[in-house]
Amino acid sequence: MVNKSMLNVKVAREIKTNWKQYLSVIVIATLAVTLFTGILANYRNFQYKLDDIYEKSNMCDAIIMVHTYDENIENALIDKDIAYQKRIFFATKSENNPINVIIFNENDTMNLPYETTSKDAQVLVDQHFLSNNELEIGDTFNFIFETNFMGQDIVLLPEFVIEGVMVHPESLDETTYNPPYIYVQDEVLVDALFEALNMPFISKDLIKNNLDNAYNQFLLQGKNANEVVEEIKDEFQGNNLLYALERADLTSNMTIETDVSQAKKLLYIFPVIFYLVALLIILTSISQLVNREQKNIGILKALGYNRKEVIAHYTSIFIALGLIGSVLGMIMGPLIIPKVMDMKYNLLYQLPDIKVPYFRIEYLLSVVLLLVIIIITSVFATFDAASKVPAISLRGENSVKMKLTQLSKLKFLHHIPLAIRMAFRNMKRKPSRTLIVILGVLGCSSLLVCGFGIDDTLNHSLELEFSEYIPYDVSVNYVVDTNNPSKSYADELLATTNVSAIDEYAKYNVDLESKKMIASFLYILPNKANIFKIEYDEDSCLISSKVANEIGAKKGDKIVFIYNNKRYEIKITKVVDLSLSQGIFISQKKLEEFPDIDYRPTGSWIRSKNVSYNDTIVEEVNQIQGVSYAMTIQTMREKCNDVISSIKLMTLTIKIFAILLAIVVLYNLALLNFNERIKDIATLKVLGFSKLEIGSSFICEILILTFIGALVGLIFGKPLLVAVLSINENPMLSYIYHVKGLSYISTILLTCGVSLIINLFFALLTSKVKMVESLKSVE
């Protein structure tokens, strides 16, 4: 009867004795599980916060928006037996900054503010609005209110007092594409309009009745909301129906919903790479262990242990190593990665600080995946050795017989240094190990190219717009003049000292629709531009590539843009790669095709006579009555760097993990190479070779393989870069993918440098190899 407890003792002794060798297995297991659990924790935390906001604010499942109140649509909703709520919603401007206004009453039950600083406040704004306008609670503000009152088009500027700050489920996005939200009670709006009209023959009741006929949104809630939306589209598609969208497709929520989805997709990139590398490391480590344990395997079988018990014994060693790494990974992952990603989310969204669970049962999936890899790899590596009869196993691993090739007979090859010839001999002797080294380094170099490439892409994207497409020196934003909304400030700006050229434009918040609908911008450019360098003419309609991809449009397609609750159709003539300026671009002449849209200049791009005058120009322009603010290109670049700082932090994380991966892979393979060549080292020492000559053979072999693996990895670096950034879209910035040649060179140098340092360490260990003991073997 065999003593199975002896195997458990042997497992513990094996790990204790060779802990340095198995450290790489623990480290790669830790890295793989850290990435898996960290990315999963980030996704779950993000989803948890969003679900909490939706639940407590009673967020609707869909929204139907019409140009004017439609009784037929309301009757259809009643017939379809779905819960709904009417409200007034409109997009307007405050101090020339776009805002969205929601008019509520005390009976509303859907899309309520999630958090407020005052429960009884009648005028609430989001933090985005306060930050943009440098306001505080108690300050006054106004916005443009356009309406048709008693048969006349009226533009009013009612004034309100900020009574509180809110987090609204439709204003979580802080990007420039989704304006801040204002939440105003209907009675307060009536009072403000009454004061703004200042007409003795108009009563508050008359204004209230006019508002009652201004409901233009229906909020739907129910399991059948999606079906109702499709039915409403089919029944009422036309001029009055602007859109009918599910919650995930709303322009106010699309970005954050997409980010939640992207957070999940990250699980399919980085953890996969690290698990594949873990497979390689475990395979090489257990293969080395089995080769070293040939005699012990024979002894175990001679003592009566069967094949399954022998395989289980060696598998259990790596299971123990994997469990150690898994525990460390499950601690580090949820602790580190969500905090890194929160830097991005806190920059883009108004997310409350909610306590989220630290541990989730799903994290155990990462352990299961790792154990499956370990078990399958271990069985594959030990099956042959465990199947041999004891007599064969006790003889140990026979030396490899090398055949003399035709190339070796060529005399000029004899002049190649011995270290290089030995390196190629070892590659030929162990083709599987050679392939593993190349694959391991390939993964490391791909990650490094991805990390360097993200930096290159961000910098290139900004440089392309600021230096080539719209090379302005100063950007100016206007305050709308309610008495003369079409007022131009071009002459005053041109008269400013040291200004050489100017492009005045209008920028409107619109919804763009093709296969999908998103919030974006409509730019009205001068008929002949001085600064805007992309070619266009009177019939052109340019669209930024990011927006085109998001709505599913291309050159030649007709798309719809919605402005002031009206739909307009236009044909795309060119798709352009722009980084910051997103939307569609047409000339003032083209605008004449849409007589309902008045040209209202909102800003200008200025070119100075010399960049040294930029600050002076800003000071002068800010003194012009009607200018909201002026900003130099340098200030704009700083703002952009703040926006992309979270992405660059992710880049640093990728580089760190790539270097750690390179260290683990190269250390493991160098250790394997060293242990397999103990006998070769002893032989060379007996023959009188110096430590430098012996060590150089190690360095040559691994450096050659590292260089090959790094070169191949360069090919996969850019596709990995595209995959990472495509699922990590930033709504403020369009990525124009670009990797500099210096980044490829840096990747090669960094990978080979890590390899050189590790192998120099092992080269120094050759002096500790004992010749007599190492040369004892069965031949």
Side-chain angles (χ1 to χ4, degrees), residues 242-302:
L242 291 175
Y243 61 76
L245 297 172
E246 302 170 25
R247 181 169 67 194
D249 294 327
L250 294 173
T251 54
S252 59
N253 296 74
M254 185 183 296
T255 302
I256 194 167
E257 292 276 1
T258 302
D259 243 346
V260 171
S261 175
Q262 290 171 355
K264 184 178 181 180
K265 290 177 182 177
L266 283 174
L267 280 169
Y268 309 133
I269 297 184
F270 298 123
V272 170
I273 294 174
F274 277 77
Y275 273 104
L276 288 175
V277 174
L279 187 151
L280 293 177
I281 288 180
I282 292 168
L283 180 60
T284 55
S285 298
I286 199 167
S287 298
Q288 178 189 359
L289 173 64
V290 170
N291 289 336
R292 191 177 67 242
E293 290 278 297
Q294 288 275 358
K295 294 179 182 179
N296 288 335
I297 291 173
I299 293 172
L300 290 173
K301 296 200 71 178

Side-chain angles (χ1 to χ4, degrees), residues 48 67 86 129 151 238 261 374 402 473 480 640 666 704 708 721:
Y48 185 89
H67 178 54
K86 295 185 293 184
F129 179 79
S261 175
I374 289 173
M402 299 292 292
D473 293 311
V480 67
C640 291
L666 293 170
I704 291 171
I708 294 171
L721 158 70

Side-chain angles (χ1 to χ4, degrees), residues 701-716:
E701 179 183 352
I702 296 298
L703 278 182
I704 291 171
L705 295 179
T706 301
F707 184 73
I708 294 171
L711 280 179
V712 178
L714 301 183
I715 300 173
F716 296 94

Side-chain angles (χ1 to χ4, degrees), residues 26-70:
I26 296 175
V27 172
I28 191 63
T30 302
L31 291 174
V33 175
T34 295
L35 278 173
F36 186 97
T37 57
I39 293 174
L40 181 58
N42 173 65
Y43 160 63
R44 288 300 186 197
N45 292 353
F46 198 3
Q47 183 72 67
Y48 185 89
K49 291 180 180 180
L50 191 59
D51 289 344
D52 188 69
I53 292 171
Y54 285 167
E55 180 182 354
K56 292 181 179 177
S57 62
N58 199 26
M59 180 69 175
C60 66
D61 296 311
I63 293 182
I64 296 172
M65 185 164 183
V66 295
H67 178 54
T68 57
Y69 171 69
D70 196 317

Side-chain angles (χ1 to χ4, degrees), residues 631-648:
M631 182 188 304
T632 66
I633 187 69
Q634 293 88 345
T635 304
M636 187 61 189
R637 285 178 181 270
E638 291 173 4
K639 285 181 173 288
C640 291
N641 287 331
D642 290 339
V643 170
I644 63 179
S645 59
S646 63
I647 305 176
K648 290 192 173 182

Side-chain angles (χ1 to χ4, degrees), residues 26 231 474 517 610:
I26 296 175
E231 292 172 2
V474 175
M517 186 169 74
N610 190 294

